């Protein structure tokens, strides 16, 4: 989240699109209702299904799954055409005035530089026009036809109200009401938030859907202000922490790209040169990276050996390490073993039948979990396997649950809090950290006397967390925070990190979270001088305890808050610095004489919010463009390019066609269950609340199919077939899409064959393809047929 949970109370309008927070993030409901009741805020829910969130909304807008870019694109167009945007904000704080390269073009669904054979873009024209001195050319009036602003206008001019409603199936009057209501938040003193989660991201255009939210919010001046922002509601408890700590396949900690085995990364110097921008805050990257290497290898990391850079694992330039990529490598027999810490791919991964088959290539699997899961038993008849044909050896280790161990946890709002152990783990269960610790100690012992160069990374790994079976978590936390090696004391924050090997830091964005004295556990003071719910002394928000990211933009170009009700930080001419209620997300001493005074987006090289994304930072285009989901019964009405042309399609032969599979399917969560279900289908009281797998279908489709609630039906496509109960509701209604009635059906994905209640796995039906940037699967918006079971 750019903002945080409590900040929702400051909003004037919440556009909830691609999320169902009243069920999946219920605490948000408390703050949204406070905004609604106390301040008259409006809530908008945009969802193919009428959810419990929709039931609390002022406006509910249905849409066809996977048409979110069209939906937001039409809002952008309307706001530009009718000049409802925040002109001062756009002109000063975004790249609207930048002039784009002469050769950049967009023609019939394709941006310039497309190579159909490679299914890739050449990004060289996705650039700005530069003068002889290499500076970006600009037109502050925004009138030049090649400014980002005019190109944005041109790009979205095709997204008219009529066209959008034909694509999305949203009724016209409702759509107009959504636009007008949300556009009001561009007024000074008002702010609107966008809340999204998996309904927005699990699509072949997922990253561009999120981009469209960012563009809309920048146009309305809603980024950096209380009650505003682009707010990703994260999923698993501490999934925010997991990505902060490099669990994404292309990162080390703190969102720094992990090195690739390629000439540009051949040594530390080359890596830092190619990865460090000259301007913007990321120009500090060498300090963070070298401090990370010191945390990895400590005294073994010296200037002479590139601080151990060569020991750090390198990614293969041609391999795909994302989730589906790994499973496809496994299917090809490239992996021998798998460690699963709290993951249940047979139920949670896409194309479950395919993944179950791939797992059979493993020699061994170690699964660490609270419960017996479907994945641990992928080799059984229950899973559809023939046990005698599977050679995999499966080791099952019991894990301690969250309340049986201590540690830090980060929420979607980037607040890091300490969690104490409440009870001892049952039986032999151990904390994941202790399991990894024991494994590391054992590996180091095994390799201690090895002379092979390839074993150096393990031999030289710094593992200073004690020698017992219990990992010294206090030392882990100190290492993450960072240590000044000349004094042996914790560094105050990442501004104190150095690139000469004199500091060590496990994760630069967390630097400062665990000070020398008075640790995180004591950050529990409930004062909130601003009244905005910032609570600066409660928990620690990365980076630098900033509660609202880009908060420089909460003040106008002269440094005054746009409105006194929403004042966060401001320029103090007497003290010559930025002061206020939040920690400035900005260099506090940059004053009006410095051109950077109007550059709030310090993580970008140019300091501006990007309406246009240059240089292929997003692989599928500088602007979002609507394409149909990979499987769709509808022709793309905006161009002749049917699908996002750069998505990764692993199994093209499995594309299900609309003739045989006419219904649009989405998968979703119910409040009563958690994820792949182990954690709720093993609890009697939860299991009882939703005891059976079902497919949710609207009344009209139910009549057409001749089924009633409780009847057994088959839901099938080219990847699989499942037998489930029909659940007929008023919540799913057919939509008129370009004059044709289209039905959508919904499947919860919480069921499997283990646990107290069992049911078919929805993911037997989901496709194997990845968004061009993140490789997230299209879990929402694929095709199925539904028929009565005989
Ligand atoms: N009770 C409970 N809470 C949870 C979880 C759980 O399993 N159970 N899981 C947690 C996790 S890990 C996560 S990631 C989050 C996910 O949180 P959400 O994203 O809220 O979860 P979903 O229910 O998958 O999807 C949200 C909504 O998106 C809608 N939707 C489907 N397709 C589209 C589309 O194309 N466009 C739009 N606009 N909407 C669409 C669905 O109908 C659904 O109502 O929830 C977390 N919270
Ligand atoms: N069709 C469809 N599929 C989806 C989604 C969707 O919307 N639709 N959503 C996707 C999303 S957003 C997510 S996050 C994934 C989730 O997919 P998974 O991560 O596979 O799902 P979970 O059920 O959350 O699995 C977590 C396991 O961790 C165990 N566990 C809990 N606490 C601990 C602990 O402290 N230590 C250890 N070692 N284990 C623990 C639980 O018992 C459980 O078995 O699924 C994805 N799959
Ligand atoms: Mo998630």
């Amino acid at each position: 989240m750019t903002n945080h949970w409590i900040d929702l109370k400051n909003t004037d309008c919440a556009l909830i699109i691609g999320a169902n927070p009243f069920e999946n993030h219920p605490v948000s409901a408390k703050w949204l209702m406070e905004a609604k009741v106390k301040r008259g805020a409006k809530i908008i829910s945009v969802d193919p299904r009428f959810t419990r969130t929709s039931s609390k909304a002022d406006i509910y807008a249905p849409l066809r799954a996977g048409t979110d870019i069209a939906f937001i694109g039409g809002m952008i167009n309307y706001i530009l055409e009718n000049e409802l945007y925040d002109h001062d904000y756009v002109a000063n704080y975004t790249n609207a005035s930048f002039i784009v390269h002469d050769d950049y073009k967009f023609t019939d669904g394709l941006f310039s530089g497309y190579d159909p054979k490679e299914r890739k873009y050449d990004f060289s024209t996705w650039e700005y026009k530069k003068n002889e001195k290499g500076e970006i050319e600009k037109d502050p009036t925004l009138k030049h036809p090649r400014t980002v602003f005019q190109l944005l206008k041109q790009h979205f001019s095709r997204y008219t109200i009529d066209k959008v409603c034909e694509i999305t199936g949203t009724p016209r009057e409702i759509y107009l009401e959504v636009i007008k209501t949300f556009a009001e938040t561009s007024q000074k003193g008002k702010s609107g938030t966008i809340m999204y989660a998996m309904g927005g991201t699990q699509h072949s255009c997922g990253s561009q859907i999120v981009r469209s939210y960012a563009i809309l919010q920048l146009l309305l001046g809603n980024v950096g202000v209380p009650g505003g922002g682009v707010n990703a509601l994260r999923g698993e408890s501490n999934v925010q922490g997991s990505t902060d700590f490099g669990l994404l396949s292309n990162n080390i900690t703190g969102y720094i790209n992990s090195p690739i085995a390629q000439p540009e990364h051949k040594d530390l110097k080359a890596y830092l040169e190619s990865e460090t921008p000259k301007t913007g805050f990321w120009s500090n990257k060498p300090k963070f990276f070298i401090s990370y290497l010191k945390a990895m290898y400590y005294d073994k990391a010296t200037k002479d050996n590139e601080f151990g850079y060569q020991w750090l694992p390198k990614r293969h330039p041609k391999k795909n390490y994302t989730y589906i990529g790994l499973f496809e490598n496994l299917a090809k027999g490239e992996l021998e073993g798998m460690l699963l810490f709290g993951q249940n791919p047979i139920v949670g991964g896409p194309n479950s039948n395919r993944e179950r088959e791939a797992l059979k290539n493993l020699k061994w699997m170690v699964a660490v979990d609270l419960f017996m899961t479907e994945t641990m038993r992928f080799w059984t008849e229950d899973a559809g396997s023939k046990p005698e044909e599977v050679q995999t050896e499966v080791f099952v280790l019991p894990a301690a649950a969250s309340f049986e161990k201590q540690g830090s946890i980060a929420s979607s709002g980037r607040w890091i809090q300490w969690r104490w152990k409440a009870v001892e783990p049952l039986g032999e269960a151990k904390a994941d950290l202790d399991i990894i610790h024991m494994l590391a100690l054992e590996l180091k012992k095994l390799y201690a006397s090895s002379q092979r160069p390839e074993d150096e990374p393990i031999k030289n790994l710094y593992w200073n967390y004690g020698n017992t079976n219990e990992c010294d978590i206090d030392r882990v936390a100190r290492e993450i925070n960072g240590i000044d090696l000349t004094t042996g004391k914790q560094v105050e924050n990442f501004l104190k990190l150095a690139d000469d090997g004199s500091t060590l830091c496990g994760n630069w964005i967390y630097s400062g979270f665990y000070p020398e004295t008075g640790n995180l556990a004591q950050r529990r003071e409930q004062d909130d001088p601003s009244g905005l719910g910032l609570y600066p002394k409660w928990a620690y928000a990365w980076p630098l305890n900033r509660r609202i990211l880009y908060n420089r933009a909460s003040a106008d170009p002269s440094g005054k808050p746009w409105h006194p009700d929403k004042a966060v930080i401001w320029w103090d001419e007497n003290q010559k610095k930025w002061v206020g209620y939040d920690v400035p997300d900005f260099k506090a001493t940059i004053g009006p004489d410095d051109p950077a005074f109007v550059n709030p987006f310090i993580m970008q090289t140019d300091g501006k919010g990007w309406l246009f994304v240059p240089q292929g930072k997003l692989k599928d285009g500088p602007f979002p463009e609507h394409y149909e989901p990979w499987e769709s019964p509808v022709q793309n009405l905006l161009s002749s390019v049917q699908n996002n042309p750069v998505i990764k399609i692993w199994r093209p032969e499995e594309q299900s066609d609309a003739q045989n599979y006419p219904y649009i399917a989405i998968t979703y969560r119910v409040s009563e269950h958690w994820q792949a279900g182990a954690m709720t289908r093993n609890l009697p009281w939860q299991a009882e609340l939703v005891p059976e797998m079902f497919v949710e279908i609207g009344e009209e489709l139910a009549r057409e199919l001749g089924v009633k609630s409780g009847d057994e039906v088959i839901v099938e496509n080219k990847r699989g077939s499942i037998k489930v109960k029909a659940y007929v509701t008023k919540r799913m209604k057919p939509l008129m899409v370009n004059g044709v009635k289209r039905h959508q059906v919904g499947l919860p994905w919480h069921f499997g064959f283990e646990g107290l209640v069992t049911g078919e796995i929805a993911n037997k039906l989901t496709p194997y393809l990845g968004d061009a940037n993140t490789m997230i699967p299209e879990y929402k918006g694929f095709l199925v047929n539904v028929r009565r079971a005989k």
Side-chain angles (χ1 to χ4, degrees):
M1 291 169 90
T2 55
N3 294 38
H4 58 94
W5 294 110
I6 300 175
D7 181 63
L8 294 170
K9 74 172 185 164
N10 300 315
T11 200
D12 296 289
C13 185
L15 174 58
I16 305 173
I17 176 161
N20 177 14
F22 281 70
E23 295 183 64
N24 297 330
H25 302 86
V27 171
S28 69
K30 170 187 157 69
W31 303 109
L32 286 170
M33 291 313 283
E34 189 167 321
K36 183 169 164 145
V37 173
K38 290 204 182 147
R39 309 185 41 260
K42 294 278 191 294
I43 299 176
I44 303 171
S45 158
V46 184
D47 198 301
R49 237 169 19 113
F50 186 87
T51 65
R52 286 163 175 160
T53 302
S54 317
S55 77
K56 296 287 179 191
D58 299 274
I59 311 172
Y60 164 65
L63 89 171
R64 176 167 63 93
T67 62
D68 296 62
I69 291 179
F71 193 97
I72 300 285
M75 295 180 75
I76 292 172
N77 183 36
Y78 188 93
I79 285 164
L80 289 171
E81 288 293 314
N82 294 285
E83 297 185 10
L84 300 174
Y85 54 92
D86 183 337
H87 182 272
D88 294 346
Y89 189 104
V90 171
N92 288 287
Y93 296 162
T94 74
N95 62 358
S97 64
F98 293 18
I99 293 179
V100 173
H101 195 291
D102 288 336
D103 296 334
Y104 162 78
K105 273 202 301 283
F106 176 80
T107 333
D108 187 28
L110 290 176
F111 297 90
S112 41
Y114 187 62
D115 176 350
K117 236 168 100 204
E118 293 282 316
R119 291 177 54 78
K120 257 191 191 153
Y121 280 106
D122 163 13
F123 309 132
S124 52
T125 61
W126 304 6
E127 253 303 350
Y128 304 116
K129 193 166 179 183
K130 309 241 171 90
N131 64 18
E132 309 81 66
K133 284 192 252 157
E135 296 157 348
I136 298 167
E137 290 188 21
K138 294 174 190 167
D139 173 21
T141 70
L142 312 185
K143 299 229 163 73
H144 187 295
R146 297 293 294 176
T147 51
V148 163
F149 188 73
Q150 294 299 333
L151 290 173
L152 178 80
K153 235 173 142 172
Q154 195 188 331
H155 183 83
F156 285 107
S157 62
R158 303 172 298 131
Y159 291 67
T160 59
I161 303 288
D162 289 337
K163 182 68 81 187
V164 167
C165 293
E166 278 174 11
I167 296 171
T168 62
T170 311
R172 199 173 193 279
E173 324 71 70
I174 297 179
Y175 185 52
L176 272 170
E177 201 188 341
V178 170
I179 303 180
K180 288 180 182 155
T181 307
F182 198 62
E184 278 177 23
T185 62
S186 72
Q187 293 164 22
K188 303 276 179 284
K190 291 211 167 185
S191 55
T193 174
I194 291 188
M195 297 167 67
Y196 75 95
M198 294 303 118
T201 56
Q202 291 172 340
H203 298 285
S204 50
C205 300
S207 310
Q208 294 285 3
I209 291 177
V210 179
R211 275 289 306 151
S212 71
Y213 304 154
I215 293 173
L216 180 60
Q217 289 296 62
L218 287 170
L219 290 176
L220 296 172
N222 276 335
V223 183
V225 298
V230 179
N231 291 303
L233 316 179
R234 305 296 311 257
E236 302 268 10
S237 149
N238 209 24
V239 69
Q240 180 65 50
S242 82
T243 51
D244 295 345
F245 278 89
L247 260 74
L248 297 171
S249 64
N250 60 333
N251 284 181
I252 60 163
T253 59
Y255 304 95
I256 292 175
N257 282 334
S258 62
I260 302 174
Q262 61 185 12
E264 295 88 324
H265 291 172
K266 69 175 187 310
D267 54 28
L268 179 62
K269 190 161 165 273
Y271 168 85
L272 289 177
E273 255 163 34
S274 73
E275 291 293 310
T276 313
K278 301 248 169 339
T279 52
F281 193 76
W282 275 120
S283 59
N284 291 302
K285 200 181 282 177
K287 299 174 190 167
F288 311 148
F289 190 70
I290 290 172
S291 298
Y292 171 80
L293 289 173
K294 287 297 285 185
M296 288 290 285
Y297 309 114
Y298 189 51
D299 54 343
K300 297 286 188 334
T302 64
K303 216 167 171 197
D304 297 335
N305 69 4
E306 305 173 63
F307 299 106
Y309 176 77
Q310 300 298 347
W311 298 325
L312 210 59
K314 310 288 180 300
R315 282 182 279 154
H316 189 290
K318 293 251 143 63
K319 284 219 162 113
N320 189 319
Y321 297 92
T322 60
Y323 182 87
I324 303 177
L326 271 183
F327 269 88
E328 285 298 274
N329 294 341
L330 178 57
K332 282 190 250 155
E334 289 181 11
L335 300 171
E336 271 190 22
M338 186 179 264
L339 292 172
L340 281 170
F341 280 89
Q343 206 176 14
N344 188 1
I346 288 290
V347 180
N351 211 349
S352 169
N353 288 326
R354 170 92 183 149
E355 297 204 339
R356 181 198 58 221
E357 290 309 304
L359 287 174
K360 294 179 181 168
N361 290 328
L362 287 173
K363 283 204 181 123
W364 54 265
M365 171 198 284
V366 179
V368 187
D369 207 292
L370 312 184
F371 297 99
M372 184 65 87
T373 67
E374 286 76 5
T375 302
M376 294 168 184
R377 298 192 65 240
F378 77 92
W379 49 274
T380 61
E381 278 169 14
D382 291 342
S385 300
K386 292 197 177 108
E388 65 278 13
E389 287 173 5
V390 187
Q391 302 302 320
T392 317
E393 192 171 3
V394 179
F395 302 87
V396 175
L397 305 183
S402 55
F403 39 85
E404 296 170 330
K405 58 193 175 197
Q406 67 166 333
S408 76
I409 178 162
S411 73
S412 303
R414 298 163 288 100
W415 290 25
I416 312 160
Q417 307 189 56
W418 200 259
R419 218 157 47 176
W420 291 268
K421 184 198 272 188
V423 290
E424 287 303 320
L426 284 178
E428 287 185 292
K430 287 197 168 24
D432 296 88
L433 183 62
D434 293 337
I435 294 174
I436 292 181
H437 174 65
M438 290 164 73
L439 184 63
L441 290 179
E442 205 55 43
L443 282 170
K444 281 186 81 73
K445 231 192 276 170
L446 286 172
Y447 284 90
S449 59
S450 164
Q451 297 302 322
R452 301 187 310 180
E454 61 266 40
D455 297 339
E456 298 269 298
I458 292 179
K459 283 174 64 181
N460 295 325
L461 180 67
Y462 179 55
W463 200 270
N464 183 34
Y465 318 119
N467 288 313
T468 67
N469 283 350
E470 218 171 293
C471 187
D472 185 340
I473 200 167
D474 179 64
R475 284 200 207 165
V476 177
R478 286 179 193 279
E479 182 180 306
I480 290 167
N481 177 89
I483 298 170
D484 180 340
L485 297 171
T486 55
T487 62
K489 296 247 174 355
Q490 310 283 100
V491 294
E492 193 188 325
N493 56 49
F494 53 69
L495 301 173
K496 298 283 154 68
L497 296 175
D499 60 5
D500 60 0
S502 65
T503 56
L504 152 174
C505 179
N507 187 352
W508 74 275
I509 56 174
Y510 277 53
S511 187
F513 95 112
Y514 205 80
E516 186 71 28
T517 52
N519 67 22
L520 181 61
Q522 287 156 356
R523 295 189 57 90
R524 296 173 65 77
E525 280 177 47
Q526 302 187 32
D527 42 337
D528 177 29
S530 65
L532 293 169
L534 295 168
Y535 298 101
K537 292 178 181 169
W538 180 280
Y540 187 89
W542 71 258
L544 282 183
N545 205 27
R546 289 161 177 150
R547 305 285 152 151
I548 297 179
L549 294 183
Y550 316 118
N551 56 25
R552 161 65 184 91
S554 69
D556 68 16
S558 77
K560 263 207 329 280
W562 292 107
H563 194 274
D565 287 354
K566 291 193 172 162
V568 188
I569 61 164
W570 51 89
W571 173 254
D572 185 323
E573 189 52 39
N574 297 325
Q575 298 187 61
K576 296 275 180 229
K577 64 174 189 186
W578 285 88
V579 297
Y581 301 118
D582 197 3
V583 178
D585 190 10
F586 197 63
K587 194 166 179 192
T589 53
I590 292 187
D593 304 334
D594 190 325
F597 192 63
V598 286
N599 291 349
F601 295 90
I602 57 169
M603 300 311 279
Q604 307 291 32
T605 46
D606 47 36
K608 302 297 184 193
W610 286 359
L611 300 168
F612 174 94
V613 175
Q615 294 149 12
K617 298 257 184 225
L618 282 180
K619 296 185 175 125
D620 40 4
F623 292 128
E625 170 67 2
H626 166 76
Y627 302 103
E628 285 296 319
W630 187 52
E631 294 180 347
S632 169
V634 180
Q635 277 273 308
N636 189 353
L637 296 179
L638 276 168
S639 76
S640 62
V641 183
Q642 177 72 0
N643 305 128
N644 185 337
V646 289
I647 50 177
K648 172 92 182 148
I649 301 163
W650 277 274
R651 305 192 53 75
E653 68 278 18
E654 288 179 355
Q655 189 173 31
S656 303
D657 54 281
Q659 279 70 43
N660 294 304
Y661 309 103
Y663 307 119
I664 300 159
I666 56 168
T667 55
Y668 63 81
R669 293 155 169 82
V670 300
S671 304
E672 297 80 356
H673 281 297
W674 187 259
Q675 303 280 84
M679 296 182 73
T680 45
R681 285 186 290 107
N682 281 299
L683 302 182
W685 47 94
Q686 289 300 116
E688 203 177 316
L689 287 173
V690 179
E692 275 180 304
M693 174 61 187
F694 58 86
V695 58
E696 180 168 357
I697 49 184
E699 290 174 335
E700 211 176 311
L701 178 59
R703 266 197 306 275
E704 279 179 26
L705 297 173
V707 299
K708 322 183 285 309
S709 260
D711 287 354
E712 282 195 322
V713 294
I714 307 281
V715 186
E716 63 194 347
N717 63 18
K718 283 201 180 164
R719 293 169 292 273
S721 162
I722 58 177
K723 196 203 264 178
V724 299
K725 292 270 172 76
Y727 176 33
V728 181
T729 73
K730 294 186 194 305
R731 309 193 301 183
M732 310 244 353
K733 293 213 161 76
L735 295 173
M736 290 305 288
V737 178
N738 198 19
V740 181
K741 193 180 281 177
R742 301 286 176 189
H743 293 287
Q744 309 192 76
V745 302
L747 296 154
W749 62 279
H750 304 294
F751 284 86
F753 53 83
E754 283 292 310
L756 298 175
V757 294
T758 57
E760 289 258 35
I761 296 173
N763 272 319
K764 288 184 176 173
L765 304 170
T766 49
Y768 238 31
L769 65 102
D771 156 280
N773 301 288
T774 62
M775 298 285 149
I776 197 170
E778 198 149 51
Y779 283 126
K780 293 175 170 52
F782 52 93
L783 294 181
V784 297
N785 187 30
V786 183
R787 60 185 167 84
R788 286 182 66 93
K790 292 274 140 42

